[in-house]
mmCIF file of all heavy atoms in Angstrom:
data_model
loop_
_atom_site.group_PDB
_atom_site.id
_atom_site.type_symbol
_atom_site.label_atom_id
_atom_site.label_comp_id
_atom_site.label_asym_id
_atom_site.label_seq_id
_atom_site.Cartn_x
_atom_site.Cartn_y
_atom_site.Cartn_z
ATOM 1 N N VAL A 18 98.553 81.853 86.878
ATOM 2 C CA VAL A 18 99.676 81.567 85.976
ATOM 3 C C VAL A 18 100.926 81.350 86.824
ATOM 4 O O VAL A 18 101.143 82.057 87.825
ATOM 5 C CB VAL A 18 99.934 82.747 85.013
ATOM 6 C CG1 VAL A 18 100.927 82.351 83.931
ATOM 7 C CG2 VAL A 18 98.646 83.254 84.409
ATOM 8 N N ARG A 19 101.748 80.379 86.432
ATOM 9 C CA ARG A 19 103.043 80.233 87.089
ATOM 10 C C ARG A 19 103.823 81.537 86.931
ATOM 11 O O ARG A 19 103.815 82.167 85.869
ATOM 12 C CB ARG A 19 103.844 79.084 86.473
ATOM 13 C CG ARG A 19 103.200 77.717 86.521
ATOM 14 C CD ARG A 19 102.872 77.227 87.909
ATOM 15 N NE ARG A 19 104.009 77.202 88.806
ATOM 16 C CZ ARG A 19 103.923 76.891 90.100
ATOM 17 N NH1 ARG A 19 102.738 76.617 90.638
ATOM 18 N NH2 ARG A 19 105.004 76.865 90.844
ATOM 19 N N SER A 20 104.497 81.950 87.986
ATOM 20 C CA SER A 20 105.118 83.278 88.019
ATOM 21 C C SER A 20 106.132 83.473 86.905
ATOM 22 O O SER A 20 106.184 84.539 86.268
ATOM 23 C CB SER A 20 105.786 83.499 89.378
ATOM 24 O OG SER A 20 104.853 83.409 90.421
ATOM 25 N N ASP A 21 106.945 82.467 86.631
ATOM 26 C CA ASP A 21 107.970 82.632 85.602
ATOM 27 C C ASP A 21 107.364 82.691 84.209
ATOM 28 O O ASP A 21 107.872 83.385 83.326
ATOM 29 C CB ASP A 21 109.024 81.529 85.698
ATOM 30 C CG ASP A 21 108.436 80.134 85.574
ATOM 31 O OD1 ASP A 21 107.226 79.967 85.816
ATOM 32 O OD2 ASP A 21 109.189 79.203 85.232
ATOM 33 N N VAL A 22 106.247 81.977 84.007
ATOM 34 C CA VAL A 22 105.558 82.038 82.712
ATOM 35 C C VAL A 22 104.997 83.441 82.492
ATOM 36 O O VAL A 22 105.093 84.004 81.390
ATOM 37 C CB VAL A 22 104.451 80.976 82.639
ATOM 38 C CG1 VAL A 22 103.585 81.164 81.403
ATOM 39 C CG2 VAL A 22 105.055 79.577 82.666
ATOM 40 N N LEU A 23 104.417 84.012 83.530
ATOM 41 C CA LEU A 23 103.879 85.358 83.409
ATOM 42 C C LEU A 23 104.994 86.365 83.157
ATOM 43 O O LEU A 23 104.856 87.273 82.333
ATOM 44 C CB LEU A 23 103.114 85.726 84.682
ATOM 45 C CG LEU A 23 102.343 87.044 84.645
ATOM 46 C CD1 LEU A 23 101.279 87.029 83.563
ATOM 47 C CD2 LEU A 23 101.710 87.316 86.003
ATOM 48 N N ALA A 24 106.113 86.199 83.837
ATOM 49 C CA ALA A 24 107.236 87.115 83.631
ATOM 50 C C ALA A 24 107.743 87.047 82.197
ATOM 51 O O ALA A 24 108.105 88.065 81.599
ATOM 52 C CB ALA A 24 108.359 86.785 84.612
ATOM 53 N N SER A 25 107.750 85.853 81.629
ATOM 54 C CA SER A 25 108.247 85.711 80.255
ATOM 55 C C SER A 25 107.300 86.325 79.239
ATOM 56 O O SER A 25 107.690 86.612 78.111
ATOM 57 C CB SER A 25 108.467 84.232 79.928
ATOM 58 O OG SER A 25 107.233 83.538 79.849
ATOM 59 N N ALA A 26 106.025 86.553 79.672
ATOM 60 C CA ALA A 26 105.068 87.209 78.777
ATOM 61 C C ALA A 26 105.362 88.689 78.637
ATOM 62 O O ALA A 26 104.845 89.350 77.731
ATOM 63 C CB ALA A 26 103.638 86.997 79.279
ATOM 64 N N GLY A 27 106.167 89.240 79.556
ATOM 65 C CA GLY A 27 106.668 90.605 79.436
ATOM 66 C C GLY A 27 105.623 91.678 79.450
ATOM 67 O O GLY A 27 105.589 92.523 78.557
ATOM 68 N N ALA A 28 104.740 91.684 80.472
ATOM 69 C CA ALA A 28 103.675 92.676 80.525
ATOM 70 C C ALA A 28 103.621 93.341 81.876
ATOM 71 O O ALA A 28 104.024 92.772 82.889
ATOM 72 C CB ALA A 28 102.330 92.019 80.229
ATOM 73 N N GLY A 29 103.121 94.570 81.888
ATOM 74 C CA GLY A 29 102.894 95.269 83.133
ATOM 75 C C GLY A 29 101.597 94.837 83.775
ATOM 76 O O GLY A 29 100.767 94.151 83.167
ATOM 77 N N HIS A 30 101.402 95.250 85.032
ATOM 78 C CA HIS A 30 100.235 94.812 85.798
ATOM 79 C C HIS A 30 98.915 95.275 85.196
ATOM 80 O O HIS A 30 97.887 94.658 85.445
ATOM 81 C CB HIS A 30 100.348 95.330 87.237
ATOM 82 C CG HIS A 30 101.393 94.607 88.023
ATOM 83 N ND1 HIS A 30 101.525 94.737 89.369
ATOM 84 C CD2 HIS A 30 102.372 93.742 87.645
ATOM 85 C CE1 HIS A 30 102.528 93.983 89.797
ATOM 86 N NE2 HIS A 30 103.059 93.382 88.774
ATOM 87 N N ASP A 31 98.921 96.360 84.441
ATOM 88 C CA ASP A 31 97.663 96.887 83.913
ATOM 89 C C ASP A 31 97.530 96.667 82.411
ATOM 90 O O ASP A 31 96.747 97.339 81.742
ATOM 91 C CB ASP A 31 97.551 98.382 84.229
ATOM 92 C CG ASP A 31 98.711 99.193 83.653
ATOM 93 O OD1 ASP A 31 99.671 98.573 83.159
ATOM 94 O OD2 ASP A 31 98.648 100.431 83.715
ATOM 95 N N ASP A 32 98.267 95.705 81.890
ATOM 96 C CA ASP A 32 98.282 95.458 80.447
ATOM 97 C C ASP A 32 97.406 94.254 80.113
ATOM 98 O O ASP A 32 97.798 93.108 80.367
ATOM 99 C CB ASP A 32 99.710 95.223 79.978
ATOM 100 C CG ASP A 32 99.802 95.027 78.467
ATOM 101 O OD1 ASP A 32 98.758 95.115 77.789
ATOM 102 O OD2 ASP A 32 100.912 94.780 77.975
ATOM 103 N N PRO A 33 96.208 94.461 79.559
ATOM 104 C CA PRO A 33 95.353 93.317 79.233
ATOM 105 C C PRO A 33 95.914 92.442 78.124
ATOM 106 O O PRO A 33 95.453 91.311 77.941
ATOM 107 C CB PRO A 33 94.037 93.974 78.812
ATOM 108 C CG PRO A 33 94.411 95.341 78.358
ATOM 109 C CD PRO A 33 95.573 95.744 79.209
ATOM 110 N N GLN A 34 96.908 92.941 77.403
ATOM 111 C CA GLN A 34 97.474 92.142 76.320
ATOM 112 C C GLN A 34 98.169 90.890 76.838
ATOM 113 O O GLN A 34 98.309 89.908 76.100
ATOM 114 C CB GLN A 34 98.456 92.980 75.500
ATOM 115 C CG GLN A 34 97.798 94.120 74.729
ATOM 116 C CD GLN A 34 96.669 93.634 73.834
ATOM 117 O OE1 GLN A 34 96.822 92.624 73.122
ATOM 118 N NE2 GLN A 34 95.535 94.314 73.868
ATOM 119 N N VAL A 35 98.597 90.906 78.109
ATOM 120 C CA VAL A 35 99.218 89.699 78.652
ATOM 121 C C VAL A 35 98.222 88.547 78.630
ATOM 122 O O VAL A 35 98.578 87.397 78.368
ATOM 123 C CB VAL A 35 99.753 89.941 80.077
ATOM 124 C CG1 VAL A 35 98.623 90.185 81.081
ATOM 125 C CG2 VAL A 35 100.586 88.748 80.534
ATOM 126 N N LEU A 36 96.953 88.835 78.877
ATOM 127 C CA LEU A 36 95.944 87.784 78.852
ATOM 128 C C LEU A 36 95.735 87.249 77.440
ATOM 129 O O LEU A 36 95.538 86.050 77.236
ATOM 130 C CB LEU A 36 94.626 88.318 79.417
ATOM 131 C CG LEU A 36 94.662 88.647 80.915
ATOM 132 C CD1 LEU A 36 93.482 89.520 81.301
ATOM 133 C CD2 LEU A 36 94.681 87.367 81.739
ATOM 134 N N ARG A 37 95.808 88.140 76.462
ATOM 135 C CA ARG A 37 95.672 87.682 75.072
ATOM 136 C C ARG A 37 96.854 86.803 74.669
ATOM 137 O O ARG A 37 96.685 85.817 73.944
ATOM 138 C CB ARG A 37 95.544 88.882 74.145
ATOM 139 C CG ARG A 37 94.312 89.733 74.436
ATOM 140 C CD ARG A 37 94.154 90.842 73.412
ATOM 141 N NE ARG A 37 93.061 91.724 73.776
ATOM 142 C CZ ARG A 37 91.770 91.457 73.577
ATOM 143 N NH1 ARG A 37 91.431 90.315 73.010
ATOM 144 N NH2 ARG A 37 90.844 92.318 73.944
ATOM 145 N N ARG A 38 98.044 87.161 75.137
ATOM 146 C CA ARG A 38 99.210 86.353 74.801
ATOM 147 C C ARG A 38 99.143 84.967 75.451
ATOM 148 O O ARG A 38 99.587 83.982 74.873
ATOM 149 C CB ARG A 38 100.487 87.081 75.219
ATOM 150 C CG ARG A 38 100.829 88.258 74.320
ATOM 151 C CD ARG A 38 102.249 88.726 74.524
ATOM 152 N NE ARG A 38 102.423 89.501 75.730
ATOM 153 C CZ ARG A 38 102.202 90.824 75.815
ATOM 154 N NH1 ARG A 38 101.758 91.498 74.748
ATOM 155 N NH2 ARG A 38 102.408 91.471 76.937
ATOM 156 N N LEU A 39 98.592 84.908 76.649
ATOM 157 C CA LEU A 39 98.550 83.645 77.382
ATOM 158 C C LEU A 39 97.352 82.777 77.015
ATOM 159 O O LEU A 39 97.443 81.552 77.067
ATOM 160 C CB LEU A 39 98.528 83.919 78.890
ATOM 161 C CG LEU A 39 99.810 84.505 79.490
ATOM 162 C CD1 LEU A 39 99.555 84.977 80.911
ATOM 163 C CD2 LEU A 39 100.924 83.465 79.479
ATOM 164 N N TYR A 40 96.222 83.415 76.670
ATOM 165 C CA TYR A 40 94.975 82.674 76.522
ATOM 166 C C TYR A 40 94.257 82.928 75.197
ATOM 167 O O TYR A 40 93.153 82.418 74.981
ATOM 168 C CB TYR A 40 94.007 83.036 77.654
ATOM 169 C CG TYR A 40 94.549 82.776 79.028
ATOM 170 C CD1 TYR A 40 95.029 83.837 79.818
ATOM 171 C CD2 TYR A 40 94.580 81.494 79.563
ATOM 172 C CE1 TYR A 40 95.512 83.606 81.093
ATOM 173 C CE2 TYR A 40 95.066 81.258 80.840
ATOM 174 C CZ TYR A 40 95.534 82.323 81.596
ATOM 175 O OH TYR A 40 96.026 82.092 82.851
ATOM 176 N N GLY A 41 94.864 83.701 74.292
ATOM 177 C CA GLY A 41 94.172 84.126 73.076
ATOM 178 C C GLY A 41 93.800 83.013 72.131
ATOM 179 O O GLY A 41 92.908 83.192 71.284
ATOM 180 N N ASP A 42 94.427 81.842 72.230
ATOM 181 C CA ASP A 42 94.087 80.729 71.342
ATOM 182 C C ASP A 42 93.269 79.657 72.054
ATOM 183 O O ASP A 42 93.131 78.541 71.555
ATOM 184 C CB ASP A 42 95.350 80.119 70.733
ATOM 185 C CG ASP A 42 96.309 79.575 71.785
ATOM 186 O OD1 ASP A 42 96.100 79.848 72.995
ATOM 187 O OD2 ASP A 42 97.274 78.867 71.409
ATOM 188 N N TRP A 43 92.710 79.989 73.225
ATOM 189 C CA TRP A 43 91.873 79.037 73.947
ATOM 190 C C TRP A 43 90.448 79.079 73.393
ATOM 191 O O TRP A 43 90.136 79.823 72.475
ATOM 192 C CB TRP A 43 91.929 79.325 75.441
ATOM 193 C CG TRP A 43 93.242 78.869 76.073
ATOM 194 C CD1 TRP A 43 94.433 78.684 75.444
ATOM 195 C CD2 TRP A 43 93.472 78.541 77.446
ATOM 196 N NE1 TRP A 43 95.395 78.266 76.327
ATOM 197 C CE2 TRP A 43 94.835 78.169 77.577
ATOM 198 C CE3 TRP A 43 92.666 78.528 78.578
ATOM 199 C CZ2 TRP A 43 95.399 77.783 78.796
ATOM 200 C CZ3 TRP A 43 93.227 78.151 79.798
ATOM 201 C CH2 TRP A 43 94.574 77.776 79.904
ATOM 202 N N HIS A 44 89.563 78.296 73.967
ATOM 203 C CA HIS A 44 88.234 78.067 73.404
ATOM 204 C C HIS A 44 87.378 79.353 73.405
ATOM 205 O O HIS A 44 87.717 80.344 74.064
ATOM 206 C CB HIS A 44 87.529 76.931 74.124
ATOM 207 C CG HIS A 44 87.337 77.146 75.601
ATOM 208 N ND1 HIS A 44 86.332 77.917 76.111
ATOM 209 C CD2 HIS A 44 88.044 76.677 76.676
ATOM 210 C CE1 HIS A 44 86.390 77.908 77.434
ATOM 211 N NE2 HIS A 44 87.418 77.171 77.801
ATOM 212 N N PRO A 45 86.254 79.360 72.694
ATOM 213 C CA PRO A 45 85.488 80.593 72.489
ATOM 214 C C PRO A 45 84.983 81.263 73.765
ATOM 215 O O PRO A 45 84.868 82.489 73.802
ATOM 216 C CB PRO A 45 84.311 80.136 71.608
ATOM 217 C CG PRO A 45 84.847 78.977 70.844
ATOM 218 C CD PRO A 45 85.759 78.270 71.798
ATOM 219 N N GLU A 46 84.669 80.520 74.818
ATOM 220 C CA GLU A 46 84.193 81.158 76.043
ATOM 221 C C GLU A 46 85.272 82.042 76.651
ATOM 222 O O GLU A 46 84.987 83.131 77.161
ATOM 223 C CB GLU A 46 83.735 80.095 77.052
ATOM 224 C CG GLU A 46 82.461 79.373 76.645
ATOM 225 C CD GLU A 46 82.041 78.331 77.673
ATOM 226 O OE1 GLU A 46 81.741 78.721 78.822
ATOM 227 O OE2 GLU A 46 82.026 77.137 77.332
ATOM 228 N N VAL A 47 86.520 81.586 76.608
ATOM 229 C CA VAL A 47 87.632 82.404 77.100
ATOM 230 C C VAL A 47 87.833 83.610 76.193
ATOM 231 O O VAL A 47 87.998 84.742 76.673
ATOM 232 C CB VAL A 47 88.924 81.567 77.190
ATOM 233 C CG1 VAL A 47 90.122 82.460 77.534
ATOM 234 C CG2 VAL A 47 88.769 80.460 78.227
ATOM 235 N N ARG A 48 87.786 83.403 74.891
ATOM 236 C CA ARG A 48 88.005 84.509 73.969
ATOM 237 C C ARG A 48 86.903 85.566 74.088
ATOM 238 O O ARG A 48 87.148 86.754 73.911
ATOM 239 C CB ARG A 48 88.115 83.985 72.524
ATOM 240 C CG ARG A 48 89.346 83.093 72.306
ATOM 241 C CD ARG A 48 89.720 83.018 70.828
ATOM 242 N NE ARG A 48 88.632 82.469 70.018
ATOM 243 C CZ ARG A 48 88.440 81.170 69.788
ATOM 244 N NH1 ARG A 48 89.247 80.270 70.345
ATOM 245 N NH2 ARG A 48 87.455 80.755 69.025
ATOM 246 N N ARG A 49 85.692 85.141 74.402
ATOM 247 C CA ARG A 49 84.609 86.115 74.603
ATOM 248 C C ARG A 49 84.935 87.065 75.748
ATOM 249 O O ARG A 49 84.725 88.282 75.652
ATOM 250 C CB ARG A 49 83.301 85.373 74.899
ATOM 251 C CG ARG A 49 82.027 86.217 74.775
ATOM 252 C CD ARG A 49 81.623 86.978 76.024
ATOM 253 N NE ARG A 49 81.237 86.149 77.133
ATOM 254 C CZ ARG A 49 80.874 86.640 78.309
ATOM 255 N NH1 ARG A 49 80.846 87.949 78.528
ATOM 256 N NH2 ARG A 49 80.558 85.826 79.305
ATOM 257 N N VAL A 50 85.488 86.531 76.836
ATOM 258 C CA VAL A 50 85.891 87.378 77.962
ATOM 259 C C VAL A 50 87.036 88.297 77.558
ATOM 260 O O VAL A 50 87.028 89.504 77.856
ATOM 261 C CB VAL A 50 86.283 86.515 79.173
ATOM 262 C CG1 VAL A 50 86.904 87.370 80.267
ATOM 263 C CG2 VAL A 50 85.066 85.771 79.710
ATOM 264 N N LEU A 51 88.021 87.768 76.864
ATOM 265 C CA LEU A 51 89.158 88.591 76.451
ATOM 266 C C LEU A 51 88.708 89.731 75.548
ATOM 267 O O LEU A 51 89.190 90.862 75.667
ATOM 268 C CB LEU A 51 90.195 87.721 75.737
ATOM 269 C CG LEU A 51 90.822 86.585 76.537
ATOM 270 C CD1 LEU A 51 91.855 85.854 75.693
ATOM 271 C CD2 LEU A 51 91.455 87.089 77.823
ATOM 272 N N ASP A 52 87.775 89.454 74.653
ATOM 273 C CA ASP A 52 87.286 90.490 73.741
ATOM 274 C C ASP A 52 86.512 91.576 74.481
ATOM 275 O O ASP A 52 86.413 92.710 73.989
ATOM 276 C CB ASP A 52 86.390 89.862 72.668
ATOM 277 C CG ASP A 52 87.167 89.009 71.678
ATOM 278 O OD1 ASP A 52 88.401 89.160 71.606
ATOM 279 O OD2 ASP A 52 86.536 88.179 70.994
ATOM 280 N N ALA A 53 85.955 91.239 75.637
ATOM 281 C CA ALA A 53 85.157 92.210 76.395
ATOM 282 C C ALA A 53 85.966 92.987 77.423
ATOM 283 O O ALA A 53 85.416 93.858 78.107
ATOM 284 C CB ALA A 53 84.005 91.486 77.097
ATOM 285 N N LEU A 54 87.264 92.702 77.546
ATOM 286 C CA LEU A 54 88.062 93.325 78.609
ATOM 287 C C LEU A 54 88.059 94.844 78.527
ATOM 288 O O LEU A 54 87.832 95.533 79.522
ATOM 289 C CB LEU A 54 89.508 92.808 78.556
ATOM 290 C CG LEU A 54 89.773 91.471 79.216
ATOM 291 C CD1 LEU A 54 91.191 91.021 78.928
ATOM 292 C CD2 LEU A 54 89.542 91.550 80.719
ATOM 293 N N GLY A 55 88.340 95.381 77.337
ATOM 294 C CA GLY A 55 88.418 96.832 77.197
ATOM 295 C C GLY A 55 89.345 97.436 78.237
ATOM 296 O O GLY A 55 90.476 96.994 78.428
ATOM 297 N N ASN A 56 88.847 98.449 78.963
ATOM 298 C CA ASN A 56 89.626 99.085 80.020
ATOM 299 C C ASN A 56 89.152 98.686 81.412
ATOM 300 O O ASN A 56 89.367 99.410 82.389
ATOM 301 C CB ASN A 56 89.550 100.611 79.873
ATOM 302 C CG ASN A 56 90.224 101.102 78.606
ATOM 303 O OD1 ASN A 56 91.302 100.605 78.244
ATOM 304 N ND2 ASN A 56 89.611 102.060 77.928
ATOM 305 N N THR A 57 88.471 97.540 81.511
ATOM 306 C CA THR A 57 88.015 97.111 82.830
ATOM 307 C C THR A 57 89.215 96.835 83.739
ATOM 308 O O THR A 57 90.253 96.360 83.283
ATOM 309 C CB THR A 57 87.154 95.838 82.733
ATOM 310 O OG1 THR A 57 87.923 94.794 82.115
ATOM 311 C CG2 THR A 57 85.895 96.090 81.916
ATOM 312 N N PRO A 58 89.096 97.140 85.036
ATOM 313 C CA PRO A 58 90.237 96.936 85.949
ATOM 314 C C PRO A 58 90.624 95.463 86.066
ATOM 315 O O PRO A 58 89.771 94.572 86.021
ATOM 316 C CB PRO A 58 89.708 97.458 87.295
ATOM 317 C CG PRO A 58 88.532 98.304 86.965
ATOM 318 C CD PRO A 58 87.938 97.732 85.718
ATOM 319 N N ILE A 59 91.919 95.245 86.212
ATOM 320 C CA ILE A 59 92.451 93.901 86.427
ATOM 321 C C ILE A 59 93.136 93.879 87.790
ATOM 322 O O ILE A 59 94.052 94.653 88.047
ATOM 323 C CB ILE A 59 93.453 93.504 85.326
ATOM 324 C CG1 ILE A 59 92.750 93.458 83.962
ATOM 325 C CG2 ILE A 59 94.094 92.156 85.642
ATOM 326 C CD1 ILE A 59 93.688 93.200 82.795
ATOM 327 N N ASP A 60 92.666 93.001 88.665
ATOM 328 C CA ASP A 60 93.308 92.793 89.962
ATOM 329 C C ASP A 60 94.428 91.780 89.781
ATOM 330 O O ASP A 60 94.197 90.681 89.278
ATOM 331 C CB ASP A 60 92.271 92.280 90.975
ATOM 332 C CG ASP A 60 92.887 92.029 92.339
ATOM 333 O OD1 ASP A 60 92.969 92.975 93.116
ATOM 334 O OD2 ASP A 60 93.279 90.868 92.612
ATOM 335 N N TRP A 61 95.617 92.129 90.169
ATOM 336 C CA TRP A 61 96.822 91.332 89.902
ATOM 337 C C TRP A 61 97.549 91.160 91.226
ATOM 338 O O TRP A 61 97.905 92.134 91.866
ATOM 339 C CB TRP A 61 97.669 92.099 88.896
ATOM 340 C CG TRP A 61 99.010 91.565 88.543
ATOM 341 C CD1 TRP A 61 100.011 91.179 89.379
ATOM 342 C CD2 TRP A 61 99.528 91.389 87.221
ATOM 343 N NE1 TRP A 61 101.103 90.778 88.685
ATOM 344 C CE2 TRP A 61 100.839 90.898 87.354
ATOM 345 C CE3 TRP A 61 99.014 91.605 85.952
ATOM 346 C CZ2 TRP A 61 101.643 90.622 86.261
ATOM 347 C CZ3 TRP A 61 99.818 91.330 84.855
ATOM 348 C CH2 TRP A 61 101.109 90.842 84.995
ATOM 349 N N ARG A 62 97.748 89.925 91.654
ATOM 350 C CA ARG A 62 98.454 89.731 92.922
ATOM 351 C C ARG A 62 99.183 88.393 92.948
ATOM 352 O O ARG A 62 98.736 87.404 92.373
ATOM 353 C CB ARG A 62 97.503 89.832 94.109
ATOM 354 C CG ARG A 62 96.426 88.770 94.188
ATOM 355 C CD ARG A 62 95.435 89.098 95.288
ATOM 356 N NE ARG A 62 94.700 90.313 95.011
ATOM 357 C CZ ARG A 62 94.036 91.010 95.926
ATOM 358 N NH1 ARG A 62 94.030 90.610 97.175
ATOM 359 N NH2 ARG A 62 93.376 92.107 95.599
ATOM 360 N N THR A 63 100.325 88.395 93.643
ATOM 361 C CA THR A 63 101.068 87.168 93.891
ATOM 362 C C THR A 63 100.303 86.325 94.899
ATOM 363 O O THR A 63 99.850 86.835 95.926
ATOM 364 C CB THR A 63 102.468 87.498 94.435
ATOM 365 O OG1 THR A 63 103.181 88.257 93.452
ATOM 366 C CG2 THR A 63 103.240 86.239 94.760
ATOM 367 N N LEU A 64 100.144 85.045 94.607
ATOM 368 C CA LEU A 64 99.387 84.173 95.501
ATOM 369 C C LEU A 64 100.274 83.636 96.627
ATOM 370 O O LEU A 64 101.424 83.235 96.402
ATOM 371 C CB LEU A 64 98.781 83.013 94.718
ATOM 372 C CG LEU A 64 97.664 83.412 93.749
ATOM 373 C CD1 LEU A 64 97.159 82.191 92.992
ATOM 374 C CD2 LEU A 64 96.513 84.082 94.483
ATOM 375 N N LEU A 65 99.705 83.638 97.818
ATOM 376 C CA LEU A 65 100.405 83.247 99.034
ATOM 377 C C LEU A 65 99.507 82.335 99.853
ATOM 378 O O LEU A 65 98.291 82.328 99.689
ATOM 379 C CB LEU A 65 100.736 84.484 99.884
ATOM 380 C CG LEU A 65 101.442 85.657 99.206
ATOM 381 C CD1 LEU A 65 101.319 86.906 100.073
ATOM 382 C CD2 LEU A 65 102.912 85.327 98.968
#
């Protein structure tokens, strides 16, 4: 995600809701992954 777009989503690094806000209306394969997130760890890093 572009950094400023992610910042505008207003979420912390361990908040899976940011993914729902960004991708929740995408096609069913993406939504299947989002629905399965639960408390699984999310690796979050700035790309360099």
Side-chain angles (χ1 to χ4, degrees):
V18 190
R19 301 301 304 175
S20 300
D21 58 339
V22 171
L23 187 61
S25 69
H30 288 191
D31 58 351
D32 183 2
Q34 293 305 315
V35 67
L36 293 164
R37 298 185 186 281
R38 287 195 283 275
L39 291 169
Y40 302 103
D42 60 349
W43 285 23
H44 59 80
E46 290 180 63
V47 173
R48 295 201 300 272
R49 195 273 294 179
V50 171
L51 299 182
D52 290 342
L54 278 173
N56 294 319
T57 58
I59 297 175
D60 179 86
W61 175 309
R62 64 188 65 198
T63 298
L64 291 178
L65 309 164

